[in-house]
Amino acid sequence: MKNIETTKSTNPPSIVVLIAWLWVGFPLTWGLWETFHKTLELFK
Amino acid sequence: MGFLDRESTVAKPGFNRWMVPPAALAIHLAIGQAYAFSVFNLPMTKLIGMTESAPEDWTLTTLGWIFSLAIVFLGLSAAFGGTWVGRVGPRKAMLASAVCFASGFWISAVGVHSHQLWLIYLGYGVVGGIGLGLGYVSPVKTLISWFPDRPGMATGLAIMGFGGGAMVGSPLAVALMDHFKTPTSMGVAETFAVMGVIYFVFMMWGVITIRVPAENWKPPGHHGADDALTKNAASSEKLQVSVQNSMKTPQFYFLWLVLFLNVTAGIGVLGQASAMSQEMFKGTITAAAAAGFVGLLSIFNMAGRFFWSSLSDYTGRRRIYMVYFALGALLYASIPTVGHMQNVVLFVLLYGVIMSMYGAGFATIPAYISDLYGKADVSAIHGRILTAWSAAGIAGPALVNYIREAQIAGGTPPAEAYSFTMYLMAALLAVGFVCNFLIKPVDPKFASANLK
């Protein structure tokens, strides 16, 4: 039973993979957003 | 077997390889902050005078050396530390990078607090610079090992993070300085101290989660040979060349020149993008709009690292560099004409594509090295090729500024002087095209039998 669970589950669990991408994705998105705001000056 | 040893980082069967790019990004996003260091320059010229520079305050010229030192030590540590990074594995190298990069901030905080510039040179410039170099090369081999089918995409993703690091570092520094600013302090020392902590914690995610694939691991559906390699590479798939042997091959020096010329041309025009746009479009592009233009270029620079490098998995590395150089030269040479046409949209667009290929030049080089020499010693070879970056960091601005000054002194109007610079950069790219064209498969006699 334990073996079946092991083979069925992802390694690492999907939630950890998601957290990993959020860890880097959040600051990157914030940085992009801040930069994007600055670029709007170009089109004013 | 310690937590930091390479053996401890070997992934268990079934490990999800998509855990690895965020670990690499945690390092590259952090160290990419280096390109936002200029945000500290102006506040650091008023540490004593507060509202304006006092005679005892540091000048912009002396502060400019902090960034220059950091880039020089990035190149040196990548060149001399690349072999060590390859030997000890990514986790130990990433930790060393995090410790150096964070310590650089902390030493600099003491330097600002005690108003001793040499401490900032030592801190951010030397110690932090070593952190940059070690961090830059540390995840590359691991990414190529996990994504043998898409090495350009994998390394492009990490090196895109380096481009994005400035976008995060700049507003973060501004927000922290605003927070810590008091009537008697610019808040720089406190900002350095806090940024050291933030970046150390951020990078530790990469240190903890990084994994290397087990020996002979292949991605699902991947059979034997590295797809991207056999489809595109100039070299035999099994060829593994040591860093020492790589330096005996002409390809090494052509690759160095390819990176050097691409970066020299890119830095040359990036440094003058703001002033050039205002000179060429007087009355149309204001100082604020020019700052927006530079921000937009950084987005193109970042996106290009991922887009073009990913595309290279399909086209092949040699062909994509042909595009960078040929299309780049054409676009550089078109900028003066577009300036005369007073077409702002086209000017911005052309400049954006140029910057995307400038970033791509950095992002595609690890996969190119891996194609030619195999992945065994890619960290060490990449580290040595990166000295081209340091050299270009000095040569690019010096070349552009010297020629510009000489031209203006000779009576050329400032806007026309920009035109000459662009033609010169186009010529440099043409030389780069030839260097890239001359890159052929590495002679198998340079292969090292005991490398893997």
Side-chain angles (χ1 to χ4, degrees):
Chain A
M1 187 64 191
K2 204 174 182 183
N3 281 341
I4 292 167
E5 277 173 9
T6 308
T7 48
K8 271 187 177 176
S9 63
T10 57
N11 170 26
S14 305
I15 185 73
V16 179
V17 181
L18 181 68
I19 292 168
W21 280 97
L22 286 175
W23 183 260
V24 292
F26 174 73
L28 187 58
T29 309
W30 178 65
L32 267 170
W33 178 250
E34 291 287 326
T35 309
F36 176 71
H37 262 275
K38 220 195 301 174
T39 65
L40 291 179
E41 286 292 334
L42 184 61
F43 304 104
K44 276 183 183 171
Chain B
M1 185 174 70
F3 174 73
L4 296 174
D5 293 336
R6 172 184 280 279
E7 291 71 28
S8 303
T9 60
V10 176
K12 292 187 172 67
F15 182 79
N16 186 341
R17 63 176 173 164
W18 289 99
M19 272 297 283
V20 181
L25 271 167
I27 301 298
H28 272 247
L29 259 177
I31 61 176
Q33 180 279 337
Y35 270 104
F37 190 81
S38 60
V39 79
F40 293 111
N41 284 350
L42 209 55
M44 282 203 288
T45 58
K46 300 177 193 168
L47 292 171
I48 294 171
M50 291 302 294
T51 49
E52 57 187 54
S53 294
E56 309 82 46
D57 263 319
W58 299 324
T59 63
L60 275 178
T61 316
T62 53
L63 289 169
W65 279 103
I66 303 168
F67 177 73
S68 302
L69 267 173
I71 295 298
V72 167
F73 275 86
L74 181 159
L76 290 174
S77 61
F80 292 105
T83 308
W84 176 78
V85 169
R87 194 175 64 241
V88 301
R91 184 172 282 165
K92 201 177 271 185
M94 284 175 167
L95 180 66
S97 167
V99 169
C100 288
F101 190 59
S103 302
F105 273 113
W106 294 325
I107 297 168
S108 300
V110 177
V112 171
H113 187 71
S114 59
H115 209 257
Q116 297 188 76
L117 188 56
W118 71 271
L119 272 176
I120 307 177
Y121 287 157
L122 174 72
Y124 197 91
V126 178
V127 180
I130 292 170
L132 296 181
L134 295 179
Y136 197 93
V137 294
S138 61
V140 166
K141 183 182 174 181
T142 307
L143 285 165
I144 292 173
S145 303
W146 276 114
F147 292 88
D149 46 344
R150 298 280 174 270
M153 183 275 297
T155 55
L157 199 58
I159 295 171
M160 175 194 79
F162 194 87
M167 290 187 206
V168 182
S170 179
L172 178 66
V174 170
L176 286 171
M177 282 191 287
D178 282 347
H179 178 75
F180 289 116
K181 195 172 179 180
T182 64
T184 55
S185 164
M186 296 298 288
V188 177
E190 295 87 341
T191 299
F192 277 160
V194 172
M195 282 180 89
V197 175
I198 291 173
Y199 279 121
F200 185 75
V201 172
F202 188 75
M203 292 168 89
M204 284 308 287
W205 175 272
V207 173
I208 294 165
T209 60
I210 193 75
R211 295 286 185 280
V212 296
E215 213 172 311
N216 300 324
W217 174 88
K218 296 280 175 200
H222 186 80
H223 305 292
D226 296 347
D227 292 350
L229 211 62
T230 46
K231 234 189 307 184
N232 311 309
S235 183
S236 138
E237 76 181 84
K238 296 286 183 198
L239 197 70
Q240 300 291 343
V241 182
S242 68
V243 64
Q244 289 82 8
N245 279 359
S246 74
M247 293 182 74
K248 294 174 190 159
T249 67
Q251 289 87 344
F252 179 90
Y253 300 95
F254 286 134
L255 272 179
W256 194 94
L257 281 170
V258 158
L259 186 64
F260 174 77
L261 291 165
N262 188 58
V263 178
T264 301
I267 288 180
V269 295
L270 187 60
Q272 60 178 15
S274 170
M276 186 184 185
S277 62
Q278 292 175 74
E279 287 274 359
M280 279 190 165
F281 299 93
K282 271 205 165 84
T284 312
I285 296 185
T286 61
F293 174 52
V294 174
L296 190 65
L297 292 185
S298 57
I299 294 176
F300 271 102
N301 179 358
M302 192 188 106
R305 290 167 190 244
F306 180 66
F307 172 77
W308 291 105
S309 190
S310 300
L311 191 64
S312 76
D313 288 333
Y314 299 95
T315 63
R317 251 58 74 175
R318 190 162 170 261
R319 275 187 215 141
I320 205 90
Y321 272 95
M322 297 279 188
V323 174
Y324 299 162
F325 286 120
L327 181 60
L330 190 73
L331 296 181
Y332 275 70
S334 308
I335 289 279
T337 312
V338 173
H340 285 302
M341 288 161 60
Q342 289 293 296
N343 190 331
V344 177
V345 175
L346 195 57
F347 175 82
V348 171
L349 196 67
L350 291 191
Y351 230 114
V353 178
I354 284 173
M355 278 302 114
S356 77
M357 291 191 296
Y358 158 71
F362 282 110
T364 321
I365 212 88
Y368 206 168
I369 295 168
S370 177
D371 287 354
L372 288 167
Y373 298 110
K375 67 174 193 283
D377 248 0
V378 70
S379 307
I381 302 170
H382 186 210
R384 294 192 188 186
I385 297 277
L386 283 177
T387 52
W389 183 4
S390 299
I394 297 164
L399 187 70
V400 167
N401 294 335
Y402 175 75
I403 289 172
R404 185 172 162 73
E405 279 169 22
Q407 280 218 296
I408 291 173
T412 310
E416 290 298 317
Y418 285 121
S419 302
F420 182 78
T421 308
M422 296 307 277
Y423 293 137
L424 179 75
M425 296 298 141
L428 287 182
L429 291 182
V431 177
F433 184 91
V434 174
C435 291
N436 181 56
F437 186 77
L438 292 172
I439 295 177
K440 305 285 184 219
V442 173
D443 191 324
K445 74 177 181 186
F446 292 105
S448 309
N450 55 348
L451 279 176
K452 56 187 181 181

